[in-house]
Each structure stands twice: as structure tokens, then as C-alpha cells.
Amino acid sequence: MGEVKLLGGLGFSPYVNRVEMALKLKGVEYEPIAEDVKNKSPLLLQHNPVHKKVPVLIHNGKGIAESLIIVEYIDQVWQEGPPILPKDPYQRAMTRFWAKFIDEKCIIATWKACCSTGEEQEKSKEESMEALKFLEDEIKGKKFFGGENIGFVDIAANFIGYWLPIISEVKGVQLITEEKFPNLWRWMNDYCNDNFVKGILPSKDALVERFKSK
Amino acid sequence: MSKVKVLGFWYSPFVARVKMALKMKGVEFEYVEENIRAKSELLLESNPIHKKVPVLIHDGKAIVETMIILEYIDQTWEGPPILPRDPYHRAMARFWVNFIDEKCLNTMLKACWRTGEEQEKWKEEAILNFQILENEIKGKKYFGGDEISVVDHAANFIAYWFPLISWGRMELVTEDQFPNLWRWSSHYCNHPFVKDNLPPMDVMIPKFKPA
């Protein structure tokens, strides 16, 4: 199927992690290449000249950027592995909707709710609560957002499932509690304890150290 | 009852993209004009989270968010492809649509509506984004190459709406600075299919042009 490289591999980014999850779900062999954000490689600048960010997937010499676009690409190219997005057009549309919702409404708001201060923090906390309530409703009655198996939305929600609780702990800002969001709480535990996911997530200690310094 | 409905505002570039995609596929649909100050029950039920247009309702199921609707239309109906079939070109199309929708539109509107120092900052960013698009369109008739593509439609705001909104306020996309984007805008707006489907200038001017 051609040579596959992942720029940003071996790091701590949830966006890179999404791509790693997709590649591993499909059983694709790839070469992870670490990137230094303070000293970006010529390969990164060549293949993502617009944003100059990781992750970038290089497949047969061609670069694809933006984590969810890469995951969709992987799903389309490697048809033999388990499907990441549903085949049904309506289900597919709903899956994309929730992934976009997580990216646009949940990640930035929850990050700011933990890491900013004053009025910005208060506003972000409110926005987070509102966004998380929608996710809470969406996960009700389902093991994963993808149903019985991990899917596109679960991959997109990796920040919520793993990074956010760690940041919350480090910064002392509790957003998702069992009391307030029992379904999301259950999903987080199932997600982080899933054998497949567990094997791909970066070490908690390393992330704690990273966030302590932010 | 119509099988396919589109809820929209006549002046929205996002709604225009959806209507064009349905027409490309030869899909008959019922268009429902919404009122931004009095959104219908149907809109609020179909898009409870964002409460925005466009909304596509097909067989009673609602799909929202412009690009998600376009991908749904492409997957559901036969006819000319809206997105490239090749995985790499499809990924690149999605990348550019994302860039235009998330980066360009946002910075352009803020450059128009903010004031003072903040406006200057957004103007600079908008110009940087235009430079990226200028490079991308160089040597090509359309973003899609010889044929108009989903990326061209995503940039419809730049070709048709923005010149009206920014007229008299500022000249951001000048022919001097952005000759390729300027040329592309003209090709896009004069493309026979596009021309037939853009809201007519005589109703756009009173709506958008500053007094």
C-alpha cells in the first residue's frame, strides 16, 4: 500500500494520537517521526506549508494535514480493516457532525476552562458545561459514540476522554464528574480502559509533567 | 410533502452552496425561507444545537453544517461528483474547504466589523490568508483545475459577497495585490451554472452594501 510516515508521532498531541489510533485500527505499518515545535523539520514545512502543524501523514510521498481529514483519508484508503466511519450516509453525516462539534465547541472551551483565568475562565466554564451536556445526551445508552466499537467520534473525543481529566487534575478544575455527567464519565472509563486505546495513549505521568509547566 | 427540503436564508453563501449541490445532482427540493429574527419550529427542531441554516431534510431526517450536507448529497445521489473520488484529492479538497471556512471567512468578517487596533490585527491576518489562496489559485482557472469544484464553491463568499460587504470600508482583495484571486473571482461569478444560482445583484446590493 506504499510507504507511510506520521510527522508528530511519538509525541503528546491528542491530534497526532487520533491519527495513530486510526492507523493502528487498520493495522497499517508506519514510521513515526518526532517533530520539535520550536524547530520544525523541512519535511513538515514542505508538506504542511499552510499551517506548519502536526499531525501530517505522508503516504507515497504525498502529505495530508488536519487530524480528522487524515483519519477520513485512512478510512477511505485502507478498506480491509474495521470501518472508522459508518457506511450509511445519514449515520456518516451525524458522525461528522459530532466530531466537528467536539473540535469546535468542546476542546477549546474545556482547555480554556482549565487553563485560563478570571472572566475568560468563567465564560469558558459555562460554555464547557453547555457543550458537555450535549455530549452526555449523545452517549446515553451507547458503549461508545461509535456503538459497540470505537469509531470516528470516539477518536475525535480522545482529548475529552484522556487529556482533559489529566489537565483537570493538574489545574484543579473539575469539569466532568460522575455526578454531573454520569454517561460521559462511564464512557471515559470504558474508553481509557479499552485494551486497544490503552496501548496507544501517551503515559499519564509524562502528560502530567507537561501540563504542570503550562 | 416534499422528500427533500432545504431551510435557508436567500442571502446566505452557505445555503447557496447546498442549493447548487442539489441542482448539480438533479435533485428536486422544496426551499423554505427562514427568518433570522423568527426561526421556525422546524429549524429549531432540526438543528437544536446550532439553530442555523442551511438544514437539509431528507425523508424526515435533518442534516446540518454546509460541508457535511454536501458530503451527504454526494454520497446519496448519483450524478457528477461534488468531491473528488481519489482519496488524496478528496483530502486536499476537504483541507482547502476547511481553510476557507474556518480561517478565511472568520478573519475577513472580523477585519470588516471590528475597529481600531483589533481591526488592524484582523486585516493583517486576512491578508495572510488571501496570500495563501493567491498562491493556491496561481496557474489554475479554478481551485478545482479546469473545472469548478467544491473548493471554488466554498470560496463563493470571497468572490461574490465580500466585495459588497467590504466596498467603501476597505479594499482587502485588490487586483494589484491579488491578481490571481481577482481573475478567479471573475471566472467564478461568470460561470453559467454559478451565475444562475447566485442571489441577484439587485437584491444583494441593498442588503450588503454599506449605505
Side-chain angles (χ1 to χ4, degrees):
Chain A
M1 261 294 191
E3 200 188 38
V4 183
K5 289 184 200 207
L6 175 60
L7 305 187
L10 307 169
F12 301 100
S13 155
Y15 300 102
V16 174
N17 181 259
R18 287 169 170 180
V19 177
E20 285 170 324
M21 258 199 262
L23 287 166
K24 293 200 169 150
L25 260 175
K26 296 285 192 176
V28 178
E29 283 192 23
Y30 67 97
E31 181 193 347
I33 298 177
E35 280 287 335
D36 177 0
V37 287
K38 293 190 205 41
N39 188 16
K40 294 174 183 183
S41 72
L43 203 56
L44 174 57
L45 299 175
Q46 179 199 345
H47 287 291
N48 192 1
V50 173
H51 301 300
K52 305 178 179 55
K53 285 182 176 175
V54 294
V56 175
L57 188 81
I58 304 176
H59 181 213
N60 290 332
K62 294 188 199 158
I64 301 112
E66 304 283 279
S67 59
L68 295 182
I69 293 178
I70 300 172
V71 172
E72 288 227 38
Y73 174 85
I74 291 166
D75 199 33
Q76 199 187 344
V77 170
W78 286 279
Q79 298 266 333
E80 323 75 53
I84 297 175
L85 280 96
K87 297 283 182 239
D88 172 75
Y90 176 70
Q91 294 304 328
R92 216 170 165 83
M94 289 315 295
T95 291
R96 287 178 174 135
F97 173 85
W98 285 109
K100 189 167 196 254
F101 178 78
I102 286 164
D103 260 359
E104 289 178 359
K105 300 286 178 186
C106 300
I107 295 181
I108 299 172
T110 52
W111 170 267
K112 282 187 179 167
C114 292
C115 302
S116 65
T117 53
E119 219 177 278
E120 196 186 9
Q121 185 178 37
E122 284 317 301
K123 182 173 164 232
S124 300
K125 274 184 183 169
E126 272 174 44
E127 279 173 12
S128 298
M129 289 294 124
E130 217 179 284
L132 291 171
K133 274 195 199 106
F134 286 121
L135 279 190
E136 171 75 5
D137 283 341
E138 181 56 21
I139 195 62
K140 212 176 282 184
K142 294 197 279 198
K143 182 174 186 196
F144 296 114
F145 288 100
E148 277 310 300
N149 300 306
I150 274 168
F152 192 62
V153 181
D154 302 277
I155 292 176
N158 64 347
F159 177 86
I160 310 281
Y162 188 68
W163 274 256
L164 183 60
I166 297 174
I167 297 171
S168 286
E169 198 181 292
V170 169
K171 301 289 180 182
V173 178
Q174 270 298 81
L175 289 173
I176 302 179
T177 61
E178 191 170 6
E179 216 179 18
K180 280 194 209 143
F181 301 103
N183 296 296
L184 258 185
W185 183 264
R186 185 212 18 96
W187 167 81
M188 274 163 60
N189 283 305
D190 285 345
Y191 184 73
C192 297
N193 288 308
D194 177 85
N195 283 322
F196 171 75
V197 175
K198 229 172 19 182
I200 306 175
L201 293 171
S203 115
K204 183 176 173 184
D205 291 340
L207 277 182
V208 167
E209 277 316 300
R210 206 168 165 75
F211 292 124
K212 271 192 178 142
S213 61
K214 283 204 187 249
Chain B
M1 181 151 91
S2 184
K3 217 172 124 177
V4 183
K5 262 188 198 153
V6 173
L7 310 184
F9 302 136
W10 67 265
Y11 51 83
S12 159
F14 302 101
V15 173
R17 284 154 68 181
V18 170
K19 285 162 86 178
M20 275 197 252
L22 287 167
K23 286 185 181 179
M24 267 176 71
K25 295 284 195 180
V27 178
E28 283 190 23
F29 63 95
E30 180 193 339
Y31 174 71
V32 178
E33 183 67 32
E34 285 285 335
N35 180 347
I36 198 168
R37 276 176 271 279
K39 293 174 181 175
S40 70
E41 288 271 339
L42 185 58
L43 174 54
L44 299 175
E45 269 165 22
S46 308
N47 192 358
I49 294 180
H50 302 303
K51 306 178 178 55
K52 285 181 174 176
V53 297
V55 177
L56 181 81
I57 303 178
H58 180 213
D59 286 341
K61 292 187 197 155
I63 300 106
V64 306
E65 304 279 283
T66 313
M67 190 57 176
I68 294 176
I69 296 173
L70 295 190
E71 299 233 30
Y72 176 85
I73 292 170
D74 208 21
Q75 204 186 340
T76 304
W77 286 284
E78 299 287 315
I82 292 171
L83 274 95
R85 293 280 176 250
D86 168 74
Y88 173 72
H89 290 116
R90 183 177 285 203
M92 290 315 293
R94 285 180 178 138
F95 174 88
W96 285 108
V97 169
N98 202 38
F99 176 75
I100 289 164
D101 272 350
E102 305 293 313
K103 289 266 185 207
C104 294
L105 192 60
N106 192 27
T107 51
M108 282 159 67
L109 290 175
K110 285 183 174 147
C112 276
W113 304 129
R114 300 282 161 97
T115 53
E117 215 176 274
E118 231 200 312
Q119 186 181 40
E120 285 315 303
K121 172 190 149 207
W122 289 113
K123 263 168 138 173
E124 270 173 43
E125 232 184 278
I127 286 173
L128 282 174
N129 291 332
F130 284 133
Q131 271 159 2
I132 291 170
L133 286 184
E134 175 75 7
N135 282 334
E136 183 55 22
I137 196 64
K138 213 176 281 185
K140 296 197 280 195
K141 186 174 186 190
Y142 299 111
F143 285 101
D146 288 328
E147 300 295 328
I148 227 167
S149 74
V150 70
V151 180
D152 297 276
H153 293 308
N156 67 352
F157 181 85
I158 297 172
Y160 197 66
W161 276 256
F162 191 63
L164 276 177
I165 292 174
S166 61
W167 194 88
R169 288 199 182 94
M170 75 196 73
E171 296 300 321
L172 269 186
V173 190
T174 61
E175 193 173 1
D176 277 341
Q177 257 191 306
F178 302 102
N180 294 296
L181 257 186
W182 193 263
R183 173 191 46 79
W184 165 81
S185 286
S186 176
H187 281 144
Y188 181 77
C189 293
N190 287 304
H191 185 283
F193 175 72
V194 173
K195 221 160 49 164
D196 272 345
N197 287 292
L198 287 174
M201 211 23 109
D202 58 358
V203 282
M204 288 284 284
I205 289 175
K207 175 91 187 157
F208 285 106
K209 207 160 165 184

